[in-house]
């Protein structure tokens, strides 16, 4: 249950990561939006847990996609299984 919940949080974060920019890297605004939306979707977690989980997911997203816009587009095509595999290291981190 916790894994699905954290996966859904990542989904929410991806949907807000893109600001329609076409640059070749993540903008500060895209990174900030991603972290803010991720954290806001975790009201029952400590600030430390939010920061660790959301920073981890941002790192995963940035390593997979060149921009927030690219991540947002790709995310919409991921299956739940693919998404869970993608965020598995972050989920494990949050369970420690």
């Amino acid at each position: 249950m916790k894994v699905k919940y954290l996966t859904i949080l990542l989904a929410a974060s991806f949907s807000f990561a893109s600001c329609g920019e076409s640059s070749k890297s993540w903008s500060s605004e895209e990174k900030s939006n991603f972290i803010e939306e991720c954290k806001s979707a975790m009201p029952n977690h400590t600030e430390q847990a939010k920061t660790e989980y959301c920073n981890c997911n941002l790192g995963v997203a940035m390593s997979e996609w060149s921009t927030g816009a690219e991540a947002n587009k790709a995310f919409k095509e991921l299956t739940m299984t693919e998404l869970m595999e993608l965020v598995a290291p972050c989920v494990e981190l949050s369970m420690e």
Side-chain angles (χ1 to χ4, degrees):
M1 179 70 171
K2 185 174 183 178
V3 172
K4 281 190 178 183
Y5 173 73
L6 293 173
T7 302
I8 291 169
L9 292 177
L10 178 63
S13 300
F14 274 122
S15 66
F16 292 97
S18 173
C19 298
E21 297 189 15
S22 60
S23 67
K24 298 291 183 193
S25 64
W26 286 67
S27 70
S28 295
E29 186 176 6
E30 287 174 320
K31 293 175 197 176
S32 178
N33 287 346
F34 184 99
I35 295 295
E36 287 177 30
E37 292 301 322
C38 180
K39 285 183 172 184
S40 71
M42 301 176 70
N44 297 326
H45 293 79
T46 66
E47 189 61 30
Q48 180 179 350
K50 292 176 189 181
T51 298
E52 289 175 2
Y53 180 74
C54 295
N55 284 337
C56 179
N57 280 315
L58 177 59
V60 168
M62 290 177 67
S63 70
E64 290 290 321
W65 299 286
S66 299
T67 66
E70 187 181 302
N72 192 42
K73 182 180 176 185
F75 171 75
K76 292 175 182 177
E77 298 173 5
L78 292 176
T79 66
M80 183 60 80
T81 300
E82 291 169 331
L83 182 59
M84 290 176 71
E85 289 173 4
L86 187 67
V87 302
C90 301
V91 172
E92 290 172 13
L93 174 70
S94 70
M95 292 181 160
E96 291 179 352

